[in-house]
Amino acid sequence: MGQKVPVKQFDESGNVVIKFEEVGTILVVTPHITAENQVLMYLKPERSTYQFDPNGVIINTNNAETRVIVENGQTAVIGGLTTQDEVESVIGVPLLKDIPVLGMLFRFRQVRTENRDLVIFVTPSIVEEGIAMKP
């Protein structure tokens, strides 16, 4: 679940080049089957956000890396990518809330903190060679 954000960069000759960066919730999984028919997985979850700045785009990234061994069909659980966002909302009487100074009587400003924890469940399944070849 992500989106691509345009980021301006300069090449060796000073020309502006636009590169698209992936931003959002990204999970990279590299599975390996062991000799005991278990699955060794390299997991790299990432949660990133962006904001525009006068100098360009700022990308904030939280990520983790782990390796886990599970039996065929067993579920691995990963957690810990926690974010805390401060959300501000202004509610009020339309038009009246926008009047300078006097508008403060007709609007309400609310600031709340949102905590989010990303928990990922990964269940690998080994597909037998004969089953994988059937149409």
Side-chain angles (χ1 to χ4, degrees), residues 95-105 107:
L95 299 176
L96 295 177
K97 69 178 176 141
D98 299 325
I99 299 172
V101 181
L102 187 61
M104 294 183 346
L105 298 172
R107 71 175 167 251

Side-chain angles (χ1 to χ4, degrees), residues 22-129:
E22 287 257 352
V23 177
T25 303
I26 301 166
L27 176 63
V28 176
V29 180
T30 307
H32 300 281
I33 300 173
T34 66
E36 296 84 29
N37 239 13
Q38 295 175 322
V39 181
L40 167 65
M41 293 184 292
Y42 165 75
L43 301 166
K44 185 177 179 184
E46 176 182 300
R47 177 186 280 168
S48 55
T49 58
Y50 69 94
Q51 62 190 42
F52 291 103
D53 184 76
N55 298 325
V57 178
I58 297 173
I59 298 176
N60 302 308
T61 303
N62 293 328
N63 60 23
E65 293 182 36
T66 188
R67 288 178 175 79
V68 63
I69 296 177
V70 294
E71 297 290 331
N72 184 21
Q74 183 182 8
T75 301
V77 181
I78 303 167
L81 288 179
T82 304
T83 58
Q84 188 176 44
D85 298 322
E86 198 171 273
V87 179
E88 179 181 337
S89 57
V90 178
I91 303 167
V93 179
L95 299 176
L96 295 177
K97 69 178 176 141
D98 299 325
I99 299 172
V101 181
L102 187 61
M104 294 183 346
L105 298 172
F106 298 99
R107 71 175 167 251
F108 173 72
R109 181 176 169 260
Q110 179 183 19
V111 178
R112 69 178 190 277
T113 303
E114 292 182 355
N115 295 316
R116 296 182 184 189
D117 189 24
L118 178 64
V119 180
I120 300 171
F121 295 85
V122 181
T123 307
S125 295
I126 299 174
V127 178
E128 300 297 327
E129 189 174 325

